[in-house]
Amino acid sequence: MSYESEISRRKPGLFIFLVDQSRSMSKKISGGTHSKAQEAADAINRQLNEIISRCTKSDGVRPYFDVGVIGYGYKSGDATGLISDQPIPINELESHILRMEKKTEKIDGEDIEIEFPVWFDPVASYDTPMVKGLTIAKQWIDDWVQRNPDSFPPVLINISDGGATDGNPKDVAEQIMEIETSDGKTLIWNCHISEKNEKSVSFPRDESEVPEEKHAKEMFEMSSVIPDSMLAIAKEEYQNVDTGARAYVYNANLEDLIRLLDIGTRVVYNKVK
Amino acid sequence: MSIKTLNFSKAGNRQEESEDSLAINSERERYSVCDGASDSIFSGWWASCLAGEFVDGDYNLDNGSEYFQMLLNARKKWYSGINWNRLPWNVKNKSIRGSYCTFMGVQLVRDDSLYCNAWAVGDSCFFIDDGKSLQSFPVSSPEDFGVHPDLVWSGYGHPMNERKEYVPEYKVKSFKSEIENCKRIVLATDALSKYILENGAESIDRIWENSSSREFFDKLRSDGSIKNDDLSAIIISFS
């Protein structure tokens, strides 16, 4: 239970991103200029691009990771894979690109235009069937762990702006957190994004640190305790992170969302050999 | 004097995926090993350009301007060896930031005696084994191999190179010694250097004897004696 397994082509890692597609995601995110749905989609598309970049060598993309994205709420009570109907190796992601966009990136103070792939578009439609989304993720993770019993444990990152409308997600989340490889249990990171300009609660250790709201408590309970071996990276971004902290940010603004995704993925990149 | 070399990719990788590079110019008696950083792209090619430029030139790296000239020439070769207009989007996006590698270069000097000049950036090492003791440079203890060694940068790729001039940094460490009565010298990249520091001069005998056996090094990696990394070395024996 060390979270120390190296990641290689023989022992790939797994990232699953879950994204809320409920109607309320159409509201503008705190600290940003676009809707929560747009910013969440942009952030995940960027992370997929980053994972590809980490795996890119001069001769192509090496399959160090499998990835999958699940959206929930695009229609009432339903959830689905947004890129594929099961996790796919990172080197196969290119054949699932929706379109390429040109974006400006600042490198050493210079604006450089780069081509940026988009795999899925933002949706803000119906309710919040998070339980359905997690149930699909559980199936994906179960299948993947059977094929990769000695890999670094799967990492699931869930982005939502509210509570589930199809039951209590805690039960299925707890089942997911019990799925393990020989190197540790599956990790769930939760990011509750908000349109309100209120102070965020990042990486709480105790339930009393999150507001007295049902879904705030629910998401705390369904977030993994950050393994000690990963705390150092979280501390680079949030000084208050300590042993026992949960992988959870409540009332996240745009900056928090980007930082949580960065931390949740960077801790795993470091294991690539 | 006899020379043996080895360069094995990390376990699980194909041999052509090794990002270590070694170069020898016997006439000039210049030797180099460079370790391409796995975080960057085209780093094996950069390591090869740098090692080759060092051994085929006359650069005295105690002199900052000669070091910069070596880097500028190596960079020119690195840049012209990449077909920037035909790169896939993901390779292009990553290559903008350039490539990185460690550097170890050794020059033998024959005067009234036999001397060596060694120059290093990062944690590739140089060893002198005189049969009684083992000297190492620039890392002297196995615990000192860090995750983030100093690296030599290639400068930006296209199109950043059109916006920013290449300004290399001088981070060279140097070492000089008489080696007239020495048994052998070794240049090695980090994983093999750490193994030598942990196991002493006898380990160089084993490396020498097994320099063409990938199986030997795979076994050391699988039993944890050496970390799973590219392995390369040049061993020059004077006996």
mmCIF file of all heavy atoms in Angstrom, chain A residues 6 9 49 52-54 56-59 61-62 94 100 105 107-108 110-112 114-115 117, chain B residues 10-14 17 19 38 40-42 89-91 93-94 96-97 156 160 163-164 228:
data_model
loop_
_atom_site.group_PDB
_atom_site.id
_atom_site.type_symbol
_atom_site.label_atom_id
_atom_site.label_comp_id
_atom_site.label_asym_id
_atom_site.label_seq_id
_atom_site.Cartn_x
_atom_site.Cartn_y
_atom_site.Cartn_z
ATOM 1 N N GLU A 6 6.232 2.057 -10.118
ATOM 2 C CA GLU A 6 6.592 2.861 -11.272
ATOM 3 C C GLU A 6 5.550 2.657 -12.371
ATOM 4 O O GLU A 6 4.862 1.635 -12.414
ATOM 5 C CB GLU A 6 7.982 2.486 -11.777
ATOM 6 C CG GLU A 6 8.051 1.126 -12.437
ATOM 7 C CD GLU A 6 9.394 0.901 -13.137
ATOM 8 O OE1 GLU A 6 10.411 1.369 -12.618
ATOM 9 O OE2 GLU A 6 9.392 0.259 -14.188
ATOM 10 N N ARG A 9 5.126 1.131 -19.744
ATOM 11 C CA ARG A 9 4.215 0.521 -20.713
ATOM 12 C C ARG A 9 3.692 -0.818 -20.212
ATOM 13 O O ARG A 9 2.581 -1.205 -20.509
ATOM 14 C CB ARG A 9 4.921 0.350 -22.061
ATOM 15 C CG ARG A 9 4.961 1.644 -22.838
ATOM 16 C CD ARG A 9 5.853 1.539 -24.054
ATOM 17 N NE ARG A 9 7.252 1.678 -23.693
ATOM 18 C CZ ARG A 9 8.201 2.036 -24.555
ATOM 19 N NH1 ARG A 9 7.897 2.281 -25.802
ATOM 20 N NH2 ARG A 9 9.451 2.160 -24.165
ATOM 21 N N ASN A 49 -4.356 16.835 -22.790
ATOM 22 C CA ASN A 49 -3.230 17.304 -23.607
ATOM 23 C C ASN A 49 -1.908 17.192 -22.832
ATOM 24 O O ASN A 49 -0.885 16.776 -23.367
ATOM 25 C CB ASN A 49 -3.503 18.757 -24.007
ATOM 26 C CG ASN A 49 -2.485 19.283 -24.989
ATOM 27 O OD1 ASN A 49 -1.927 18.535 -25.774
ATOM 28 N ND2 ASN A 49 -2.225 20.575 -24.928
ATOM 29 N N ILE A 52 -0.789 13.580 -22.630
ATOM 30 C CA ILE A 52 -0.174 13.202 -23.913
ATOM 31 C C ILE A 52 1.236 13.770 -23.996
ATOM 32 O O ILE A 52 2.187 13.081 -24.382
ATOM 33 C CB ILE A 52 -1.033 13.689 -25.097
ATOM 34 C CG1 ILE A 52 -2.275 12.817 -25.219
ATOM 35 C CG2 ILE A 52 -0.232 13.665 -26.404
ATOM 36 C CD1 ILE A 52 -3.146 13.118 -26.397
ATOM 37 N N SER A 53 1.370 15.043 -23.602
ATOM 38 C CA SER A 53 2.688 15.678 -23.668
ATOM 39 C C SER A 53 3.704 14.924 -22.809
ATOM 40 O O SER A 53 4.836 14.683 -23.226
ATOM 41 C CB SER A 53 2.574 17.134 -23.211
ATOM 42 O OG SER A 53 3.844 17.722 -23.165
ATOM 43 N N ARG A 54 3.283 14.529 -21.604
ATOM 44 C CA ARG A 54 4.189 13.785 -20.717
ATOM 45 C C ARG A 54 4.632 12.471 -21.346
ATOM 46 O O ARG A 54 5.709 11.961 -21.045
ATOM 47 C CB ARG A 54 3.484 13.466 -19.392
ATOM 48 C CG ARG A 54 3.113 14.692 -18.594
ATOM 49 C CD ARG A 54 4.237 15.114 -17.695
ATOM 50 N NE ARG A 54 3.890 16.302 -16.936
ATOM 51 C CZ ARG A 54 4.594 16.762 -15.921
ATOM 52 N NH1 ARG A 54 5.678 16.123 -15.527
ATOM 53 N NH2 ARG A 54 4.241 17.853 -15.287
ATOM 54 N N THR A 56 4.823 11.915 -24.636
ATOM 55 C CA THR A 56 5.310 12.106 -26.005
ATOM 56 C C THR A 56 6.835 12.039 -26.061
ATOM 57 O O THR A 56 7.531 12.712 -25.316
ATOM 58 C CB THR A 56 4.834 13.461 -26.568
ATOM 59 O OG1 THR A 56 3.414 13.433 -26.699
ATOM 60 C CG2 THR A 56 5.457 13.730 -27.942
ATOM 61 N N LYS A 57 7.313 11.197 -26.946
ATOM 62 C CA LYS A 57 8.736 11.127 -27.273
ATOM 63 C C LYS A 57 8.860 11.455 -28.750
ATOM 64 O O LYS A 57 7.846 11.536 -29.449
ATOM 65 C CB LYS A 57 9.275 9.713 -26.983
ATOM 66 C CG LYS A 57 9.246 9.361 -25.506
ATOM 67 C CD LYS A 57 10.288 10.136 -24.764
ATOM 68 C CE LYS A 57 10.297 9.812 -23.284
ATOM 69 N NZ LYS A 57 11.324 10.570 -22.565
ATOM 70 N N SER A 58 10.097 11.589 -29.216
ATOM 71 C CA SER A 58 10.263 11.974 -30.614
ATOM 72 C C SER A 58 9.663 10.954 -31.580
ATOM 73 O O SER A 58 9.291 11.289 -32.697
ATOM 74 C CB SER A 58 11.741 12.199 -30.919
ATOM 75 O OG SER A 58 12.496 11.116 -30.430
ATOM 76 N N ASP A 59 9.550 9.697 -31.130
ATOM 77 C CA ASP A 59 8.999 8.671 -32.015
ATOM 78 C C ASP A 59 7.506 8.433 -31.802
ATOM 79 O O ASP A 59 6.929 7.514 -32.345
ATOM 80 C CB ASP A 59 9.768 7.350 -31.831
ATOM 81 C CG ASP A 59 9.726 6.856 -30.388
ATOM 82 O OD1 ASP A 59 9.236 7.601 -29.515
ATOM 83 O OD2 ASP A 59 10.174 5.725 -30.126
ATOM 84 N N VAL A 61 3.749 8.733 -29.101
ATOM 85 C CA VAL A 61 3.205 8.759 -27.735
ATOM 86 C C VAL A 61 3.312 7.354 -27.140
ATOM 87 O O VAL A 61 2.846 6.385 -27.742
ATOM 88 C CB VAL A 61 1.735 9.216 -27.741
ATOM 89 C CG1 VAL A 61 1.173 9.251 -26.324
ATOM 90 C CG2 VAL A 61 1.604 10.585 -28.390
ATOM 91 N N ARG A 62 3.939 7.255 -25.975
ATOM 92 C CA ARG A 62 4.081 5.948 -25.336
ATOM 93 C C ARG A 62 2.897 5.690 -24.397
ATOM 94 O O ARG A 62 2.514 6.582 -23.629
ATOM 95 C CB ARG A 62 5.397 5.869 -24.559
ATOM 96 C CG ARG A 62 6.589 5.949 -25.492
ATOM 97 C CD ARG A 62 7.884 5.785 -24.770
ATOM 98 N NE ARG A 62 9.005 5.998 -25.688
ATOM 99 C CZ ARG A 62 10.265 6.108 -25.318
ATOM 100 N NH1 ARG A 62 10.581 6.013 -24.039
ATOM 101 N NH2 ARG A 62 11.215 6.306 -26.203
ATOM 102 N N GLU A 94 -5.515 10.242 -29.802
ATOM 103 C CA GLU A 94 -5.440 11.115 -30.984
ATOM 104 C C GLU A 94 -6.566 10.812 -31.979
ATOM 105 O O GLU A 94 -7.101 11.720 -32.609
ATOM 106 C CB GLU A 94 -4.080 10.944 -31.655
ATOM 107 C CG GLU A 94 -3.904 11.901 -32.802
ATOM 108 C CD GLU A 94 -2.451 12.120 -33.168
ATOM 109 O OE1 GLU A 94 -1.622 11.293 -32.779
ATOM 110 O OE2 GLU A 94 -2.186 13.125 -33.840
ATOM 111 N N MET A 100 -9.166 20.448 -33.736
ATOM 112 C CA MET A 100 -7.971 21.149 -33.249
ATOM 113 C C MET A 100 -8.297 22.646 -33.210
ATOM 114 O O MET A 100 -8.948 23.172 -34.117
ATOM 115 C CB MET A 100 -6.782 20.907 -34.173
ATOM 116 C CG MET A 100 -6.314 19.464 -34.272
ATOM 117 S SD MET A 100 -5.714 18.769 -32.728
ATOM 118 C CE MET A 100 -4.153 19.624 -32.539
ATOM 119 N N GLU A 105 -0.175 30.401 -26.057
ATOM 120 C CA GLU A 105 0.429 29.995 -24.785
ATOM 121 C C GLU A 105 1.640 30.889 -24.526
ATOM 122 O O GLU A 105 2.388 31.206 -25.442
ATOM 123 C CB GLU A 105 0.884 28.539 -24.894
ATOM 124 C CG GLU A 105 1.254 27.932 -23.561
ATOM 125 C CD GLU A 105 1.514 26.434 -23.681
ATOM 126 O OE1 GLU A 105 0.652 25.712 -24.200
ATOM 127 O OE2 GLU A 105 2.595 25.989 -23.264
ATOM 128 N N ILE A 107 5.193 31.436 -23.353
ATOM 129 C CA ILE A 107 6.435 30.716 -23.063
ATOM 130 C C ILE A 107 7.536 31.748 -22.913
ATOM 131 O O ILE A 107 7.805 32.499 -23.863
ATOM 132 C CB ILE A 107 6.783 29.710 -24.184
ATOM 133 C CG1 ILE A 107 5.651 28.684 -24.351
ATOM 134 C CG2 ILE A 107 8.101 28.997 -23.885
ATOM 135 C CD1 ILE A 107 5.840 27.715 -25.504
ATOM 136 N N ASP A 108 8.147 31.774 -21.732
ATOM 137 C CA ASP A 108 9.224 32.734 -21.464
ATOM 138 C C ASP A 108 8.834 34.155 -21.885
ATOM 139 O O ASP A 108 9.615 34.878 -22.504
ATOM 140 C CB ASP A 108 10.499 32.276 -22.200
ATOM 141 C CG ASP A 108 11.759 32.911 -21.605
ATOM 142 O OD1 ASP A 108 11.639 33.603 -20.591
ATOM 143 O OD2 ASP A 108 12.838 32.734 -22.191
ATOM 144 N N GLU A 110 6.779 35.149 -24.124
ATOM 145 C CA GLU A 110 6.367 35.319 -25.517
ATOM 146 C C GLU A 110 5.060 34.586 -25.759
ATOM 147 O O GLU A 110 4.867 33.470 -25.284
ATOM 148 C CB GLU A 110 7.428 34.738 -26.465
ATOM 149 C CG GLU A 110 8.779 35.408 -26.405
ATOM 150 C CD GLU A 110 8.767 36.769 -27.081
ATOM 151 O OE1 GLU A 110 7.968 36.970 -28.010
ATOM 152 O OE2 GLU A 110 9.576 37.626 -26.664
ATOM 153 N N ASP A 111 4.155 35.225 -26.504
ATOM 154 C CA ASP A 111 2.908 34.558 -26.887
ATOM 155 C C ASP A 111 3.162 33.689 -28.111
ATOM 156 O O ASP A 111 3.501 34.190 -29.178
ATOM 157 C CB ASP A 111 1.831 35.597 -27.212
ATOM 158 C CG ASP A 111 1.326 36.263 -25.939
ATOM 159 O OD1 ASP A 111 1.395 35.629 -24.876
ATOM 160 O OD2 ASP A 111 0.875 37.417 -26.016
ATOM 161 N N ILE A 112 2.998 32.396 -27.927
ATOM 162 C CA ILE A 112 3.236 31.447 -29.012
ATOM 163 C C ILE A 112 1.921 30.752 -29.351
ATOM 164 O O ILE A 112 1.217 30.272 -28.460
ATOM 165 C CB ILE A 112 4.291 30.391 -28.588
ATOM 166 C CG1 ILE A 112 5.650 31.045 -28.363
ATOM 167 C CG2 ILE A 112 4.402 29.270 -29.598
ATOM 168 C CD1 ILE A 112 6.339 31.540 -29.617
ATOM 169 N N ILE A 114 -0.178 27.776 -30.460
ATOM 170 C CA ILE A 114 -0.007 26.321 -30.576
ATOM 171 C C ILE A 114 -1.341 25.668 -30.947
ATOM 172 O O ILE A 114 -2.404 26.236 -30.691
ATOM 173 C CB ILE A 114 0.536 25.680 -29.274
ATOM 174 C CG1 ILE A 114 -0.446 25.888 -28.114
ATOM 175 C CG2 ILE A 114 1.910 26.191 -28.915
ATOM 176 C CD1 ILE A 114 -0.204 24.957 -26.972
ATOM 177 N N GLU A 115 -1.254 24.514 -31.523
ATOM 178 C CA GLU A 115 -2.462 23.754 -31.840
ATOM 179 C C GLU A 115 -2.868 22.962 -30.601
ATOM 180 O O GLU A 115 -2.036 22.312 -29.961
ATOM 181 C CB GLU A 115 -2.188 22.795 -32.988
ATOM 182 C CG GLU A 115 -2.227 23.469 -34.340
ATOM 183 C CD GLU A 115 -2.339 22.433 -35.427
ATOM 184 O OE1 GLU A 115 -1.359 21.682 -35.594
ATOM 185 O OE2 GLU A 115 -3.386 22.365 -36.085
ATOM 186 N N PRO A 117 -5.736 20.278 -29.005
ATOM 187 C CA PRO A 117 -6.847 19.374 -29.332
ATOM 188 C C PRO A 117 -8.018 19.509 -28.361
ATOM 189 O O PRO A 117 -7.832 19.790 -27.174
ATOM 190 C CB PRO A 117 -6.205 17.989 -29.202
ATOM 191 C CG PRO A 117 -5.077 18.190 -28.257
ATOM 192 C CD PRO A 117 -4.640 19.600 -28.324
ATOM 193 N N LYS B 10 16.779 1.378 -20.764
ATOM 194 C CA LYS B 10 16.154 0.864 -19.540
ATOM 195 C C LYS B 10 15.290 -0.355 -19.859
ATOM 196 O O LYS B 10 14.816 -0.517 -20.994
ATOM 197 C CB LYS B 10 15.360 1.955 -18.836
ATOM 198 C CG LYS B 10 14.226 2.548 -19.612
ATOM 199 C CD LYS B 10 13.604 3.720 -18.859
ATOM 200 C CE LYS B 10 14.409 4.986 -19.028
ATOM 201 N NZ LYS B 10 13.782 6.180 -18.463
ATOM 202 N N ALA B 11 15.118 -1.213 -18.848
ATOM 203 C CA ALA B 11 14.324 -2.434 -19.038
ATOM 204 C C ALA B 11 12.921 -2.057 -19.490
ATOM 205 O O ALA B 11 12.304 -1.141 -18.932
ATOM 206 C CB ALA B 11 14.267 -3.211 -17.727
ATOM 207 N N GLY B 12 12.424 -2.750 -20.495
ATOM 208 C CA GLY B 12 11.092 -2.459 -21.017
ATOM 209 C C GLY B 12 11.122 -1.539 -22.223
ATOM 210 O O GLY B 12 10.118 -1.377 -22.907
ATOM 211 N N ASN B 13 12.265 -0.893 -22.464
ATOM 212 C CA ASN B 13 12.399 -0.022 -23.638
ATOM 213 C C ASN B 13 13.220 -0.709 -24.713
ATOM 214 O O ASN B 13 14.081 -1.538 -24.414
ATOM 215 C CB ASN B 13 13.096 1.289 -23.262
ATOM 216 C CG ASN B 13 12.160 2.255 -22.553
ATOM 217 O OD1 ASN B 13 11.033 1.903 -22.214
ATOM 218 N ND2 ASN B 13 12.634 3.465 -22.337
ATOM 219 N N ARG B 14 12.954 -0.293 -25.956
ATOM 220 C CA ARG B 14 13.788 -0.795 -27.052
ATOM 221 C C ARG B 14 15.145 -0.108 -27.001
ATOM 222 O O ARG B 14 15.260 1.001 -26.490
ATOM 223 C CB ARG B 14 13.101 -0.528 -28.400
ATOM 224 C CG ARG B 14 11.772 -1.263 -28.568
ATOM 225 C CD ARG B 14 11.262 -1.128 -30.000
ATOM 226 N NE ARG B 14 11.041 0.249 -30.387
ATOM 227 C CZ ARG B 14 9.919 0.934 -30.167
ATOM 228 N NH1 ARG B 14 8.907 0.344 -29.552
ATOM 229 N NH2 ARG B 14 9.799 2.186 -30.553
ATOM 230 N N GLU B 17 15.594 3.379 -27.980
ATOM 231 C CA GLU B 17 14.951 4.379 -27.130
ATOM 232 C C GLU B 17 15.881 4.904 -26.032
ATOM 233 O O GLU B 17 15.484 5.770 -25.244
ATOM 234 C CB GLU B 17 13.675 3.800 -26.510
ATOM 235 C CG GLU B 17 12.595 3.564 -27.549
ATOM 236 C CD GLU B 17 11.369 2.834 -27.008
ATOM 237 O OE1 GLU B 17 11.449 2.214 -25.920
ATOM 238 O OE2 GLU B 17 10.338 2.874 -27.688
ATOM 239 N N GLU B 19 18.278 7.182 -24.208
ATOM 240 C CA GLU B 19 18.543 8.615 -24.367
ATOM 241 C C GLU B 19 19.950 8.975 -23.877
ATOM 242 O O GLU B 19 20.278 10.146 -23.765
ATOM 243 C CB GLU B 19 17.461 9.420 -23.635
ATOM 244 C CG GLU B 19 16.135 9.324 -24.352
ATOM 245 C CD GLU B 19 14.959 9.813 -23.542
ATOM 246 O OE1 GLU B 19 14.910 9.545 -22.324
ATOM 247 O OE2 GLU B 19 14.076 10.446 -24.128
ATOM 248 N N SER B 38 14.635 12.487 -19.625
ATOM 249 C CA SER B 38 13.430 11.840 -20.158
ATOM 250 C C SER B 38 12.223 12.772 -20.167
ATOM 251 O O SER B 38 11.252 12.526 -20.871
ATOM 252 C CB SER B 38 13.124 10.565 -19.385
ATOM 253 O OG SER B 38 13.055 10.834 -18.018
ATOM 254 N N SER B 40 12.171 15.763 -21.366
ATOM 255 C CA SER B 40 12.137 16.578 -22.577
ATOM 256 C C SER B 40 12.150 15.681 -23.814
ATOM 257 O O SER B 40 12.383 14.476 -23.725
ATOM 258 C CB SER B 40 13.320 17.556 -22.608
ATOM 259 O OG SER B 40 14.547 16.864 -22.664
ATOM 260 N N ILE B 41 11.910 16.296 -24.948
ATOM 261 C CA ILE B 41 11.820 15.524 -26.191
ATOM 262 C C ILE B 41 13.076 15.765 -27.025
ATOM 263 O O ILE B 41 13.731 16.799 -26.851
ATOM 264 C CB ILE B 41 10.534 15.929 -26.937
ATOM 265 C CG1 ILE B 41 10.175 14.936 -28.009
ATOM 266 C CG2 ILE B 41 10.621 17.340 -27.485
ATOM 267 C CD1 ILE B 41 8.752 15.122 -28.515
ATOM 268 N N PHE B 42 13.421 14.849 -27.882
ATOM 269 C CA PHE B 42 14.646 14.898 -28.679
ATOM 270 C C PHE B 42 15.889 15.013 -27.787
ATOM 271 O O PHE B 42 16.915 15.552 -28.203
ATOM 272 C CB PHE B 42 14.628 16.080 -29.676
ATOM 273 C CG PHE B 42 13.562 15.953 -30.733
ATOM 274 C CD1 PHE B 42 12.558 16.894 -30.852
ATOM 275 C CD2 PHE B 42 13.569 14.873 -31.610
ATOM 276 C CE1 PHE B 42 11.565 16.770 -31.812
ATOM 277 C CE2 PHE B 42 12.590 14.746 -32.587
ATOM 278 C CZ PHE B 42 11.589 15.701 -32.680
ATOM 279 N N TRP B 89 1.379 17.452 -34.071
ATOM 280 C CA TRP B 89 1.052 18.555 -33.156
ATOM 281 C C TRP B 89 1.628 18.343 -31.759
ATOM 282 O O TRP B 89 2.143 19.283 -31.146
ATOM 283 C CB TRP B 89 -0.464 18.766 -33.082
ATOM 284 C CG TRP B 89 -1.212 17.596 -32.487
ATOM 285 C CD1 TRP B 89 -1.716 16.525 -33.136
ATOM 286 C CD2 TRP B 89 -1.482 17.382 -31.096
ATOM 287 N NE1 TRP B 89 -2.291 15.641 -32.261
ATOM 288 C CE2 TRP B 89 -2.174 16.143 -30.999
ATOM 289 C CE3 TRP B 89 -1.234 18.090 -29.931
ATOM 290 C CZ2 TRP B 89 -2.604 15.614 -29.780
ATOM 291 C CZ3 TRP B 89 -1.666 17.570 -28.718
ATOM 292 C CH2 TRP B 89 -2.340 16.342 -28.650
ATOM 293 N N ASN B 90 1.542 17.107 -31.231
ATOM 294 C CA ASN B 90 1.981 16.886 -29.849
ATOM 295 C C ASN B 90 3.507 16.961 -29.720
ATOM 296 O O ASN B 90 4.039 17.497 -28.748
ATOM 297 C CB ASN B 90 1.454 15.543 -29.322
ATOM 298 C CG ASN B 90 1.778 14.376 -30.231
ATOM 299 O OD1 ASN B 90 1.677 14.479 -31.443
ATOM 300 N ND2 ASN B 90 2.186 13.272 -29.654
ATOM 301 N N VAL B 91 4.213 16.462 -30.731
ATOM 302 C CA VAL B 91 5.685 16.537 -30.718
ATOM 303 C C VAL B 91 6.115 17.994 -30.874
ATOM 304 O O VAL B 91 7.019 18.480 -30.188
ATOM 305 C CB VAL B 91 6.269 15.652 -31.846
ATOM 306 C CG1 VAL B 91 7.780 15.786 -31.904
ATOM 307 C CG2 VAL B 91 5.876 14.195 -31.635
ATOM 308 N N ASN B 93 4.380 20.740 -30.072
ATOM 309 C CA ASN B 93 4.095 21.523 -28.859
ATOM 310 C C ASN B 93 5.160 21.300 -27.783
ATOM 311 O O ASN B 93 5.528 22.223 -27.063
ATOM 312 C CB ASN B 93 2.721 21.156 -28.282
ATOM 313 C CG ASN B 93 1.580 21.638 -29.158
ATOM 314 O OD1 ASN B 93 1.805 22.398 -30.105
ATOM 315 N ND2 ASN B 93 0.369 21.208 -28.862
ATOM 316 N N LYS B 94 5.642 20.070 -27.680
ATOM 317 C CA LYS B 94 6.609 19.764 -26.626
ATOM 318 C C LYS B 94 8.016 20.230 -27.008
ATOM 319 O O LYS B 94 8.787 20.674 -26.153
ATOM 320 C CB LYS B 94 6.604 18.254 -26.361
ATOM 321 C CG LYS B 94 7.310 17.859 -25.081
ATOM 322 C CD LYS B 94 7.013 16.424 -24.708
ATOM 323 C CE LYS B 94 7.728 16.021 -23.429
ATOM 324 N NZ LYS B 94 7.408 14.661 -23.006
ATOM 325 N N ILE B 96 9.005 22.771 -28.622
ATOM 326 C CA ILE B 96 9.232 24.230 -28.541
ATOM 327 C C ILE B 96 10.175 24.540 -27.386
ATOM 328 O O ILE B 96 11.006 25.433 -27.459
ATOM 329 C CB ILE B 96 7.886 24.971 -28.329
ATOM 330 C CG1 ILE B 96 7.036 24.904 -29.586
ATOM 331 C CG2 ILE B 96 8.124 26.430 -27.933
ATOM 332 C CD1 ILE B 96 5.626 25.445 -29.407
ATOM 333 N N ARG B 97 10.050 23.776 -26.310
ATOM 334 C CA ARG B 97 10.805 24.081 -25.083
ATOM 335 C C ARG B 97 12.243 23.555 -25.107
ATOM 336 O O ARG B 97 12.990 23.758 -24.158
ATOM 337 C CB ARG B 97 10.066 23.532 -23.866
ATOM 338 C CG ARG B 97 8.728 24.225 -23.661
ATOM 339 C CD ARG B 97 7.895 23.597 -22.581
ATOM 340 N NE ARG B 97 6.546 24.139 -22.582
ATOM 341 C CZ ARG B 97 6.188 25.272 -22.012
ATOM 342 N NH1 ARG B 97 7.082 25.986 -21.361
ATOM 343 N NH2 ARG B 97 4.948 25.711 -22.064
ATOM 344 N N TYR B 156 15.643 26.921 -27.392
ATOM 345 C CA TYR B 156 14.275 26.669 -27.846
ATOM 346 C C TYR B 156 14.222 25.999 -29.210
ATOM 347 O O TYR B 156 15.112 26.160 -30.036
ATOM 348 C CB TYR B 156 13.502 27.986 -27.934
ATOM 349 C CG TYR B 156 13.147 28.561 -26.589
ATOM 350 C CD1 TYR B 156 13.698 29.767 -26.163
ATOM 351 C CD2 TYR B 156 12.257 27.908 -25.749
ATOM 352 C CE1 TYR B 156 13.371 30.304 -24.929
ATOM 353 C CE2 TYR B 156 11.928 28.435 -24.513
ATOM 354 C CZ TYR B 156 12.491 29.630 -24.112
ATOM 355 O OH TYR B 156 12.173 30.141 -22.896
ATOM 356 N N MET B 160 9.908 29.302 -31.239
ATOM 357 C CA MET B 160 10.423 30.192 -30.184
ATOM 358 C C MET B 160 11.824 30.696 -30.507
ATOM 359 O O MET B 160 12.224 31.774 -30.098
ATOM 360 C CB MET B 160 10.458 29.455 -28.841
ATOM 361 C CG MET B 160 9.262 29.667 -27.948
ATOM 362 S SD MET B 160 8.992 31.364 -27.453
ATOM 363 C CE MET B 160 10.139 31.512 -26.083
ATOM 364 N N ARG B 163 12.157 34.081 -31.693
ATOM 365 C CA ARG B 163 11.814 35.192 -30.790
ATOM 366 C C ARG B 163 12.888 35.428 -29.729
ATOM 367 O O ARG B 163 13.064 36.538 -29.268
ATOM 368 C CB ARG B 163 10.500 34.871 -30.041
ATOM 369 C CG ARG B 163 9.376 34.354 -30.898
ATOM 370 C CD ARG B 163 8.588 35.485 -31.488
ATOM 371 N NE ARG B 163 7.395 34.985 -32.124
ATOM 372 C CZ ARG B 163 6.216 34.861 -31.502
ATOM 373 N NH1 ARG B 163 6.098 35.183 -30.248
ATOM 374 N NH2 ARG B 163 5.175 34.396 -32.162
ATOM 375 N N LYS B 164 13.526 34.355 -29.312
ATOM 376 C CA LYS B 164 14.466 34.462 -28.190
ATOM 377 C C LYS B 164 15.842 33.945 -28.589
ATOM 378 O O LYS B 164 15.964 32.843 -29.131
ATOM 379 C CB LYS B 164 13.970 33.605 -27.007
ATOM 380 C CG LYS B 164 12.735 34.170 -26.323
ATOM 381 C CD LYS B 164 13.129 35.118 -25.223
ATOM 382 C CE LYS B 164 11.893 35.605 -24.476
ATOM 383 N NZ LYS B 164 12.220 36.597 -23.466
ATOM 384 N N ASN B 228 16.172 1.227 -12.566
ATOM 385 C CA ASN B 228 15.804 1.015 -13.958
ATOM 386 C C ASN B 228 15.947 2.308 -14.741
ATOM 387 O O ASN B 228 15.071 3.160 -14.730
ATOM 388 C CB ASN B 228 14.378 0.476 -14.062
ATOM 389 C CG ASN B 228 14.045 0.072 -15.491
ATOM 390 O OD1 ASN B 228 14.949 -0.063 -16.324
ATOM 391 N ND2 ASN B 228 12.767 -0.100 -15.774
#
